[in-house]
Amino acid sequence: MRISVTIEAEYESGEEARIVMKALEPENRSYVESEIEGSKVRFTMESDSIGTALNTADDLIFSEMIVEKMMGFKSENE
């Protein structure tokens, strides 16, 4: 069975989306496909194992949160 996970993040502008995608690119090369649509970045990953897919998604989300903090983004909880 093949597992596919798609994560979409929306930003204030296309420029912010490009910065985030570029910052995550070295980490995700060969594991995650990335594309920009306007101010959204879509990350898609596939795996033969649900555990591997979840670990990859978790790593991606954690890395994306770090990039957002470095860029000075505020979360909805702040």
Side-chain angles (χ1 to χ4, degrees):
M1 171 173 41
R2 196 85 175 136
I3 309 296
S4 178
V5 177
T6 300
I7 298 171
E8 192 172 277
E10 186 169 4
Y11 299 94
E12 293 290 322
S13 69
E15 179 63 20
E16 288 180 355
R18 282 188 289 283
I19 291 168
V20 170
M21 190 173 104
K22 204 71 158 145
L24 295 174
E25 189 176 48
E27 173 74 17
N28 296 325
R29 205 171 283 143
S30 78
Y31 298 103
V32 179
E33 297 279 330
S34 304
E35 63 181 339
I36 292 180
E37 184 178 303
S39 61
K40 295 179 185 177
V41 181
R42 186 174 300 113
F43 303 99
T44 304
M45 58 214 84
E46 291 188 356
S47 175
D48 291 329
S49 157
I50 192 149
T52 300
L54 289 173
N55 287 337
T56 303
D58 186 53
D59 289 348
L60 173 69
I61 292 167
F62 181 76
S63 297
E64 194 269 343
M65 289 170 57
I66 290 172
V67 171
E68 284 188 3
K69 284 184 181 184
M70 291 174 63
M71 292 176 64
F73 292 172
K74 298 278 187 205
S75 74
E76 290 181 8
N77 297 328
E78 292 181 286

